Amino acid sequence: MQLAAIHHRTESEDCFVIDNEHVRIRVHTAKNDIKQIVAHYTDNYMPTESDRTVELTKIGEGQVSDHWAATLQAPYHRLKYTLEITDQTGAKVIYGDRGFSDFNESNLLADSSYFKVPYLHEIDMTKTPSWVQDTVWYQIFPERFANGDKSNDPENVKPWNATDHPGREDFYGGDLQGVIDHLDYLKELGVSGIYFCPVFKAPSNHKYDTIDYLEIDPHFGDKDLFAKLVNEAHKRGLKIMLDAVFNHIGAESMQWQDVVENGEKSRFADWFHINSFPVEPYQAPTDKRKAPYETFAFEKSMPKLNTANPEVQDYLLNIATYWVKYFDIDAWRLDVANEVDHHFWQKFHDALVAIKPDFYIVGEIWHSARPWLNGDQFSGVMNYPYTLQIEDHFFHKRLSAKDLVEHLTDQLMLYRDNTNHAMMNMLDSHDTARILTVAGENQALALQALAFMLVQPGSPCIYYGTEMGMSGDNDPDCRKPMDWSKQGSPVWEMVHSLIAFRNEHATLGHGEIVMSVTENDLIKVKRVGKESICAYFNTTDHAIEFSGEAVLSQNLTAEKLESNGFAFVIE
């Protein structure tokens, strides 16, 4: 028995409160080393002789570990438990709060062997908004979605042309009226939430260099128009998520311009991370000198805010709550969230859920995000570490099918179940090349990867134009004007069908997941909830025999699943 490989941690993603009577536990062991794990558990104030037992289920295989889980019942809202572990040879040990001990009755009954959950506090349940796991998001880059009002077009606006390759400074005239004009389209497509890139006043086309967070950019419309958009979206059952750019502010903002003019005498000098005065001209840092001020990356037009300053905190929290109180938005997406301190995000979280308890907060974090996902900061994050591995297998072949399943299973073990269901999954966005381009213009392959993402735990997000088969390389090429000519095309119909299937089957939003590779090399994703759904994916270069009765499929012919094919089966 490989004791060094056995791992479990209380009050973490390995032991978390589901409700006031149930706790979910996970245990991790070396692959193929352990035959059985049994949890012995009871109330903290009851004798260990009163133990109940439950056998843990192996819920997946990772790169080096097997993952096991069970749900324990705690009728008095307290719990203690210890683990009886049996390896493949039949040898047993007890694993508890003080480590390993020999398996015998004395050790099994010793209270000191038990992990403790002192009380199942409601506040410890790391609640996530119940509506999120049933939501399919649609990301809109407002300047490129639709031009509904030419009267507010910027100067030198370019003609709407979906085949253009936009430059970084180009404008095409997209606005909020264009979104309002297409709300019925979004409802028809089947999405249930709109994630907007920034809409606040800013000089650029992308608006990540904010001038005024309390004003809609005049080239997009005004606050009255935005209020109309939110109301009309809500009438159609569409949630609204805005982009909070709180790591930095635009160089044209009043606050930064005061620093430029008044230097260290500016009342806003401590709003930023300033290393020296004057702050202009900006010089990028080198090994021998610091930049005069900190920025997002090395973008001189985006000075970084000092969120440890109470004035800055109050300023940003007022903005965050304003759009919820007066416009009833449903979610914030937090730009560069990992570069803002945890203390601020805790205040941010508390201020928002005090207004709207089911508010959704999702951070942009491109790496493991456990410190932000303990229930006191974010509901979820943009799940790049998860979805980029999907791309690594489907598009780049850097991972085998077995590698993909193992990597994704390990990723799911990083977070609590309800957190996994609240993660925001996407295969492309305004920051990345479009999936059709990454797929080498192979539309069947792009759709296969999209289908795979849609059966994963989490809240999926479709980038505008994916349903039209739009292509585009890295920023700014991924931000082309929307191609409205492809509505109703075969690609559109397949994306519509995939979204509809997810919407019609709650198991895909709520159910458990087990992933594996079949003997004939199909990737199998099984979701279990009110029903059992199995999705099969052929990512090989040859046809594979398939006998299941598919309710939705691609490249399924004559009882064979062709390359780039998938098949959904309800068991």
Side-chain angles (χ1 to χ4, degrees):
M1 186 181 299
Q2 299 183 45
L3 298 182
I6 299 174
H7 175 70
H8 173 76
R9 190 163 59 98
T10 56
E11 296 193 55
S12 72
E13 64 279 355
D14 291 341
C15 173
F16 50 91
V17 177
I18 299 174
D19 55 43
N20 65 1
E21 287 194 355
H22 295 90
V23 172
R24 184 75 167 170
I25 64 169
R26 297 174 180 159
V27 180
H28 315 283
T29 66
K31 288 180 74 168
N32 304 314
D33 182 46
I34 300 304
K35 181 178 181 181
Q36 183 187 55
I37 302 177
V38 175
H40 297 254
Y41 66 101
T42 188
D43 182 82
N44 285 345
Y45 294 97
M46 287 187 171
T48 54
E49 289 88 343
S50 64
D51 273 353
R52 286 176 285 175
T53 62
V54 63
E55 184 175 344
L56 277 66
T57 301
K58 190 165 84 169
I59 57 173
E61 297 182 8
Q63 287 184 274
V64 298
S65 299
D66 287 337
H67 304 293
W68 308 73
T71 300
L72 312 182
Q73 186 176 12
Y76 306 111
H77 320 304
R78 303 173 298 253
L79 196 67
K80 61 183 177 183
Y81 59 95
T82 193
L83 302 167
E84 173 190 339
I85 301 178
T86 307
D87 72 7
Q88 299 292 349
T89 70
K92 292 186 177 186
V93 297
I94 296 169
Y95 179 39
D97 189 57
R98 298 187 183 180
F100 297 98
S101 57
D102 294 336
F103 180 78
N104 57 53
E105 186 174 359
S106 176
N107 287 339
L108 188 60
L109 296 178
D111 189 74
S112 60
S113 292
Y114 282 65
F115 296 106
K116 304 293 196 303
V117 182
Y119 196 85
L120 278 60
H121 294 281
E122 184 175 351
I123 198 171
D124 293 331
M125 294 178 194
T126 58
K127 293 180 179 177
T128 52
S130 59
W131 56 268
V132 170
Q133 51 204 351
D134 295 316
T135 300
V136 177
W137 294 98
Y138 187 90
Q139 183 187 0
I140 289 179
F141 192 85
E143 219 281 320
R144 305 291 160 79
F145 183 65
N147 189 345
D149 182 1
K150 294 187 180 298
S151 70
N152 62 18
D153 284 1
E155 294 182 9
N156 302 318
V157 67
K158 297 184 69 175
W160 200 270
N161 185 348
T163 63
D164 266 5
H165 296 279
R168 293 197 178 278
E169 309 301 326
D170 291 343
F171 289 86
Y172 290 85
D175 51 34
L176 298 184
Q177 186 60 53
V179 179
I180 293 172
D181 294 343
H182 291 90
L183 289 175
D184 287 335
Y185 163 80
L186 296 177
K187 186 67 176 176
E188 180 186 1
L189 180 62
V191 299
S192 43
I194 303 173
Y195 153 38
F196 284 100
C197 288
V199 297
F200 306 128
K201 187 176 181 180
S204 63
N205 54 41
H206 55 72
K207 311 302 179 191
Y208 283 95
D209 50 350
T210 312
I211 293 176
D212 189 342
Y213 295 93
L214 295 177
E215 293 295 336
I216 298 295
D217 191 273
H219 295 307
F220 290 166
D222 56 26
K223 286 191 277 193
D224 287 340
L225 189 64
F226 180 71
K228 179 181 178 182
L229 190 160
V230 175
N231 290 336
E232 291 298 320
H234 283 171
K235 285 179 185 177
R236 293 164 174 81
L238 299 170
K239 302 287 188 180
I240 298 294
M241 176 159 56
L242 293 184
D243 207 324
V245 188
F246 290 170
N247 174 68
H248 52 271
I249 198 169
E252 294 186 22
S253 65
M254 174 271 292
Q255 295 89 342
W256 183 250
Q257 284 303 305
D258 193 273
V259 172
V260 172
E261 181 177 347
N262 297 306
E264 55 195 315
K265 295 181 180 179
S266 169
R267 68 187 181 96
F268 298 108
D270 195 41
W271 278 45
F272 302 94
H273 296 271
I274 297 175
N275 298 318
S276 61
F277 292 97
V279 294
E280 289 191 351
Y282 176 83
Q283 291 181 303
T286 68
D287 291 341
K288 296 183 179 180
R289 69 162 189 268
K290 292 182 178 180
Y293 57 93
E294 304 297 321
T295 65
F296 163 67
F298 301 107
E299 295 290 340
K300 65 180 182 179
S301 63
M302 299 180 184
K304 181 176 174 62
L305 287 164
N306 176 15
T307 54
N309 182 328
E311 289 185 3
V312 175
Q313 292 179 0
D314 291 344
Y315 171 70
L316 296 177
L317 292 176
N318 177 62
I319 294 162
T321 55
Y322 174 81
W323 293 97
V324 182
K325 288 178 181 176
Y326 298 107
F327 296 87
D328 197 28
I329 67 168
D330 305 287
W332 279 112
R333 178 265 188 186
L334 310 175
D335 188 59
V336 202
N338 59 336
E339 295 185 22
V340 176
D341 61 277
H342 293 284
H343 180 66
F344 173 74
W345 288 136
Q346 289 166 343
K347 288 188 173 184
F348 180 90
H349 169 274
D350 291 348
L352 291 169
V353 299
I355 302 169
K356 203 169 188 177
D358 65 345
F359 197 82
Y360 181 45
I361 303 171
V362 59
E364 181 201 15
I365 296 179
W366 291 62
H367 52 82
S368 298
R370 279 181 285 189
W372 291 269
L373 295 172
N374 291 312
D376 60 345
Q377 295 178 61
F378 306 161
S379 315
V381 297
M382 301 178 79
N383 207 7
Y384 288 113
Y386 198 81
T387 55
L388 288 175
Q389 292 184 106
I390 297 174
E391 294 188 14
D392 277 347
H393 172 67
F394 281 82
F395 300 152
H396 306 303
K397 302 304 180 187
R398 295 177 186 139
L399 299 176
S400 68
K402 179 176 176 290
D403 291 337
L404 176 68
V405 167
E406 291 176 348
H407 279 69
L408 295 184
T409 300
D410 283 339
Q411 284 284 320
L412 290 170
M413 295 300 106
L414 294 178
Y415 309 113
R416 298 160 175 87
D417 289 341
N418 57 344
T419 302
N420 282 323
H421 290 303
M423 300 293 262
M424 189 177 182
N425 297 332
M426 74 294 296
L427 290 175
D428 52 2
S429 72
H430 67 291
D431 283 326
T432 68
R434 288 183 173 273
I435 57 171
L436 182 58
T437 296
V438 181
E441 304 299 318
N442 183 335
Q443 187 64 74
L445 176 58
L447 288 170
Q448 184 193 43
L450 184 65
F452 186 85
M453 184 190 76
L454 283 164
V455 298
Q456 296 297 311
S459 190
C461 183
I462 310 293
Y463 188 40
Y464 81 95
T466 292
E467 76 277 23
M468 306 296 196
M470 287 180 63
S471 60
D473 214 325
N474 290 314
D475 164 28
D477 199 49
C478 57
R479 303 172 181 180
K480 294 176 182 178
M482 176 70 156
D483 186 354
W484 288 105
S485 69
K486 303 291 179 61
Q487 186 175 350
S489 67
V491 175
W492 191 95
E493 291 293 347
M494 178 55 78
V495 175
H496 173 268
S497 296
L498 288 167
I499 295 172
F501 186 85
R502 183 176 175 99
N503 290 340
E504 291 163 5
H505 297 277
T507 294
L508 295 179
H510 301 257
E512 297 179 3
I513 183 170
V514 177
M515 288 178 281
S516 60
V517 179
T518 66
E519 291 182 356
N520 56 354
D521 295 326
L522 295 177
I523 298 176
K524 178 181 179 181
V525 179
K526 185 172 185 177
R527 301 296 306 276
V528 181
K530 292 183 178 179
E531 59 187 348
S532 180
I533 299 172
C534 288
Y536 298 87
F537 300 86
N538 182 0
T539 58
T540 73
D541 60 1
H542 57 273
I544 296 174
E545 290 186 9
F546 182 81
S547 59
E549 187 174 340
V551 294
L552 180 63
S553 65
Q554 174 178 273
N555 289 1
L556 180 61
T557 58
E559 296 187 346
K560 286 191 176 182
L561 193 58
E562 304 288 340
S563 183
N564 301 329
F566 63 82
F568 294 175
V569 177
I570 299 176
E571 294 184 339

